[in-house]
Amino acid sequence: MREFNVQLGPLALNLEWRLTLFTLMLLPFLTTLGFWQLDRADEKAALGARYAQRIAQPPVSLTSLDQADMDNAAGRLALADRQVSFDAEFNAHAYLLLDNRQREGRVGYEVIALANTLGMVVPVNLGWVAGDPARRTLPEVQLPAGVVPIDGRIYVPTSAAYVLESADFPEALPAVVQTFDPASSASALLGLASGIQPGAARLLPLEVRIAAKSPFAFRADWPIVNQSPAKHTGYAVQWFTMAVVLLIAFVWRSSNIAQLFKRRA
């Protein structure tokens, strides 16, 4: 067993190479995880503040949205959480079922209807519906009939969804999808919707999440953030605590600090 001995006054360090290497590798890793969780806490706090600010603003019409903003990721993110209000017409078959959505441990789907308003197709997320636990059948979805008023807010994901399967786009509606990004699949969505709803000239490359209080909503209780800033801060404290404990254990094991404490006692 190879050791490196270092004398710092009364403190003697006996650095066994394997234990030292293990500590030098694990300590920065634990510390990095702690700072990463702090960054996540700041990010979630910023999302909450943005939501509170924009939800306090009055609703805007879809026609007032700048097309240039919707054509790039930064512009779409700037529109996130804005309240919108418009009249839309639904088709009974023009919807997608977003798979693998859970509520209180129950499997289900989010219903994303491709509504028509002023010659434009708008993806409207009507909320969550329960699914078959055995996954043998799909839920029967009843969309609003005729032209109805829709109140909601623009939803823009902060990161791309992770899926285990390839995201092949369906060839007909209604259909089940594993992930949904109206910006990247705008042309395919428009093609599907146009076959059912003739006259649609373009597609809004944004998802509108219907307001929970709407009479046309299913279960529309989306969380603003999936974890609170306080929880991320708690995780950071845990990682930093583990780093401190590791450092203390290393110093205690690799030095004569225990003997020094006994002499002073």
Side-chain angles (χ1 to χ4, degrees):
M1 182 180 297
R2 187 174 181 182
E3 294 184 353
F4 299 92
N5 299 321
V6 179
Q7 190 72 33
L8 301 173
L11 181 65
L13 298 176
N14 300 311
L15 306 179
E16 194 274 318
W17 74 272
R18 285 174 296 188
L19 180 60
T20 302
L21 180 62
F22 173 79
T23 304
L24 290 177
M25 292 177 62
L26 188 57
L27 188 62
F29 177 71
L30 295 174
T31 304
T32 300
L33 286 176
F35 283 113
W36 177 70
Q37 288 291 348
L38 289 180
D39 289 341
R40 295 286 288 164
D42 291 340
E43 177 184 333
K44 297 300 176 62
L47 289 175
R50 184 190 71 185
Y51 174 81
Q53 177 190 30
R54 294 182 180 175
I55 210 68
Q57 298 173 347
V60 298
S61 65
L62 295 180
T63 55
S64 68
L65 300 180
D66 192 337
Q67 183 64 42
D69 289 336
M70 294 185 285
D71 289 339
N72 63 87
R76 289 190 294 271
L77 190 59
L79 296 173
D81 294 326
R82 288 298 307 270
Q83 293 189 94
V84 292
S85 181
F86 56 97
D87 293 332
E89 183 177 12
F90 294 83
N91 181 286
H93 304 290
Y95 65 88
L96 299 167
L97 294 175
L98 184 57
D99 201 359
N100 297 316
R101 307 290 122 171
Q102 293 193 6
R103 294 292 188 278
E104 300 170 355
R106 298 176 61 193
V107 297
Y109 306 85
E110 288 181 11
V111 180
I112 302 176
L114 302 180
N116 198 347
T117 178
L118 301 175
M120 176 172 57
V121 175
V122 181
V124 181
N125 194 324
L126 297 174
W128 181 87
V129 294
D132 179 7
R135 301 182 69 84
R136 290 191 294 263
T137 61
L138 295 176
E140 295 184 3
V141 176
Q142 298 293 327
L143 298 185
V147 178
V148 297
I150 296 297
D151 296 313
R153 66 181 178 92
I154 295 173
Y155 170 71
V156 179
T158 55
S159 60
Y162 176 76
V163 293
L164 297 177
E165 303 177 11
S166 60
D168 295 331
F169 210 77
E171 297 180 355
L173 296 175
V176 177
V177 293
Q178 299 300 313
T179 184
F180 180 71
D181 182 1
S184 62
S185 55
S187 59
L189 281 171
L190 184 59
L192 286 175
S194 298
I196 299 176
Q197 301 173 180
R202 65 188 181 96
L203 181 132
L204 185 78
L206 298 165
E207 176 184 330
V208 175
R209 286 186 166 180
I210 197 169
K213 63 182 180 181
S214 171
F216 311 109
F218 298 119
R219 183 170 176 177
D221 56 346
W222 295 284
I224 305 307
V225 293
N226 55 359
Q227 287 186 338
S228 67
K231 183 167 288 189
H232 284 289
T233 301
Y235 289 150
V237 171
Q238 292 179 7
W239 289 120
F240 288 137
T241 300
M242 292 174 64
V244 171
V245 170
L246 174 65
L247 183 60
I248 292 174
F250 172 73
V251 173
W252 192 270
R253 167 65 179 78
S254 304
S255 70
N256 64 339
I257 194 169
Q259 289 84 0
L260 294 178
F261 277 125
K262 288 180 179 179
R263 292 174 188 173
R264 292 187 177 184

